[in-house]
Amino acid sequence: MQLPTRIRQHKAESDSYAILLYRLRNIGIFRNVTESDYGIDFEVEIVHGTSVTGKYFKAQVKSSENLKVRKKDEVPVVGGIKESTLYYWTELSYKSHVIAFAVDLKSEVIHVSRPLFWQATTLINGD
């Protein structure tokens, strides 16, 4: 009998979400939006004490077992982002901040980007 196998990418994605949700559980309400994934994995609403603030941001999660971090500015390097996703992030940024979480699966360190609008805009080459 041949059973399905779990591919490495699905396990990494699942592990990164678990790490993120556990480590950042006190910042707010994480709403999973991966069902129709177009470049956003979560909408996060900030909670201050017991008050649900109505302030939120959109988040994309990237992960790796060998996450590369630039030494000069300690920024993780993540590749393979489609130009259509960059356009999508810039459009979303008119109404909400869009940030990225980069999760190192070995150390469980979470890197958080600044809002992605300007970075995404400069990476679009228009061809």
Side-chain angles (χ1 to χ4, degrees):
M1 173 170 56
Q2 183 71 25
L3 296 172
T5 58
R6 186 177 193 190
I7 64 171
R8 182 180 224 165
Q9 181 182 354
H10 289 174
K11 177 157 178 21
E13 184 177 277
S14 178
D15 289 351
S16 66
Y17 292 172
I19 292 165
L20 186 74
L21 293 172
Y22 179 74
R23 301 287 292 279
L24 302 180
R25 66 190 178 277
N26 293 325
I27 70 166
I29 301 163
F30 282 74
R31 294 185 181 96
N32 188 329
V33 291
T34 58
E35 184 175 311
S36 298
D37 187 0
Y38 296 102
I40 297 296
D41 294 315
F42 292 98
E43 180 178 276
V44 182
E45 186 169 355
I46 305 299
V47 175
H48 184 69
T50 58
S51 299
V52 180
T53 66
K55 297 175 184 173
Y56 66 95
F57 60 89
K58 309 275 186 179
Q60 173 66 40
V61 181
K62 296 292 185 183
S63 64
S64 175
E65 291 182 13
N66 293 320
L67 190 64
K68 305 289 186 224
V69 178
R70 285 192 310 237
K71 292 188 191 278
K72 69 177 183 177
D73 55 7
E74 305 220 355
V75 171
V77 178
V78 178
I81 298 171
K82 296 181 212 169
E83 191 163 307
S84 61
T85 301
L86 297 173
Y87 278 119
Y88 183 61
W89 289 344
T90 59
E91 289 298 318
L92 284 174
S93 293
Y94 287 111
K95 296 184 180 180
S96 170
H97 285 299
V98 178
I99 66 161
F101 292 111
V103 180
D104 185 315
L105 296 172
K106 281 187 180 176
S107 66
E108 298 189 0
V109 169
I110 300 168
H111 299 269
V112 183
S113 75
R114 292 182 175 176
L116 294 174
F117 178 78
W118 289 111
Q119 184 178 5
T121 302
T122 60
L123 292 172
I124 295 170
N125 67 12
D127 59 6

